[in-house]
């Protein structure tokens, strides 16, 4: 929660929200943590039980002091390993260049926009990553 607060400020999840995420670990949530003695990064996924349903990447963040050292990429690699073969969706603020670059680098592509979605009028960009199906 402390790391979430540092990374997202007013948009940080409340204790109640985090509690709900962890309560759903047995159902459809996956939380991965980059741990260097203290948590320096995390990713939260919504992984529906039906493998035909897309996975939602709900949140990914790295401690500001540890950014650009590869932790976000490692978290993303681990997250995608958890949902091999499945479509993954996410939403990102149009002006969030670091996250946008991370996502593009992992093969996510913009599929739609929610105009003026965020407070302040910023667009939300919906991105999708699809793994190519290999014929057997
Ligand atoms: C997005 C975020 C998780 C990236 O984490 P990170 O540990 O810095 O990422 P990495 O060091 O693994 O970088 C992986 C790639 O992402 C891209 N990238 C990351 N930060 C970038 C930046 N500031 N500018 C441009 N590209 C960037 C680069 O392509 C980078 O590869 P490179 O370093 O080889 O060029 C981190 O910036 C963050 O926590 N941001 C705040 C929270 C947030 O906005 N989360 C997304 C919305 S839920």
């Amino acid at each position: 929660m402390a790391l979430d607060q540092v990374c997202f400020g007013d948009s940080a999840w409340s204790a109640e929200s985090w509690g709900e995420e962890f309560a759903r670990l047995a159902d459809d949530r996956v939380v991965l943590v980059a741990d260097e003695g203290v948590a320096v990064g995390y990713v939260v996924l919504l992984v529906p039980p039906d493998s035909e349903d897309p996975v939602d990447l709900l949140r990914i963040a790295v401690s500001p002091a540890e950014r650009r050292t590869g932790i976000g990429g490692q978290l993303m690699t681990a997250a995608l390993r958890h949902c091999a073969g499945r479509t993954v969706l996410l939403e990102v603020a149009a002006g969030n260049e670091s996250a946008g670059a991370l996502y593009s680098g992992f093969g996510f592509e913009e599929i739609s926009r929610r105009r003026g979605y965020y407070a302040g009028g910023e667009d939300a960009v919906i991105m999708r990553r699809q793994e190519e199906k290999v014929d057997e």
Side-chain angles (χ1 to χ4, degrees):
M1 277 184 59
L3 182 54
D4 198 51
Q5 183 67 48
V6 169
C7 292
F8 290 103
D10 289 346
S11 306
W13 285 346
S14 65
E16 189 182 5
S17 297
W18 276 109
E20 285 170 10
E21 295 300 314
F22 281 105
R24 289 176 65 165
L25 287 179
D27 303 320
D28 62 1
R29 291 297 201 273
V30 172
V31 180
L32 303 175
V33 177
D35 185 342
E36 295 181 358
V38 291
V40 293
Y42 56 93
V43 57
V44 183
L45 304 169
L46 191 174
V47 185
D50 184 342
S51 63
E52 293 300 313
D53 291 338
V55 172
D56 270 300
L57 192 154
L58 300 177
R59 213 160 181 83
I60 183 168
V62 171
S63 169
E66 307 285 342
R67 288 180 192 162
R68 293 313 289 269
T69 65
I71 295 170
Q74 288 173 18
L75 284 166
M76 186 63 89
T77 299
L80 294 176
R81 203 177 295 137
H82 262 275
C83 32
R86 295 179 68 158
T87 296
V88 183
L89 299 173
L90 58 81
E91 179 193 293
V92 61
N96 190 341
E97 291 181 13
S98 51
L102 174 70
Y103 301 150
S104 298
F106 276 85
F108 285 85
E109 296 176 334
E110 177 174 341
I111 55 166
S112 66
R113 272 184 185 240
R114 294 178 179 145
R115 302 274 172 206
Y117 180 77
Y118 294 110
E122 190 171 10
D123 292 351
V125 177
I126 314 301
M127 302 184 83
R128 178 176 64 196
R129 181 182 188 273
Q130 286 178 309
E131 281 194 13
E132 304 214 352
K133 294 227 180 296
V134 180
D135 292 332
E136 292 179 8

